[in-house]
Amino acid sequence: MSSFSNSSMASVDEGRYCRYGNEALLKTSWTQLNPGSRFFTCRISKKMGGCAYFLWYEDRHPPQANRVM
């Protein structure tokens, strides 16, 4: 099982680009350490030669969302 949600992939925040110049994707972590935390990443997976761009997205979820997670 994956540690992030593919359904939450979205292009956001113009100006956030990976090292290859592609618009970064916003994903959601579902690991035990960071459940529900969102982060930007390269559109190309590391397995396919992506640049491994990573940046935490500092968005705060509403209290209701935190209870669900």
Side-chain angles (χ1 to χ4, degrees), residues 4-58:
F4 58 85
S5 170
N6 286 334
S7 64
S8 64
M9 289 184 193
S11 296
V12 294
D13 275 351
E14 288 82 333
R16 296 211 186 260
Y17 294 91
C18 75
R19 294 177 193 125
Y20 290 159
N22 296 319
E23 191 172 1
L25 295 177
L26 182 63
K27 296 184 180 182
T28 302
S29 169
W30 294 110
T31 63
Q32 287 183 332
L33 186 59
N34 297 300
S37 296
R38 297 193 296 170
F39 60 95
F40 290 100
T41 186
C42 181
R43 289 183 169 276
I44 304 168
S45 72
K46 291 180 194 176
K47 291 179 183 177
M48 299 300 291
C51 69
Y53 175 78
F54 178 89
L55 178 68
W56 286 113
Y57 180 62
E58 297 296 328

Side-chain angles (χ1 to χ4, degrees), residues 57-68:
Y57 180 62
E58 297 296 328
D59 179 44
R60 300 292 173 225
H61 297 289
Q64 300 86 350
N66 289 329
R67 283 194 296 271
V68 171

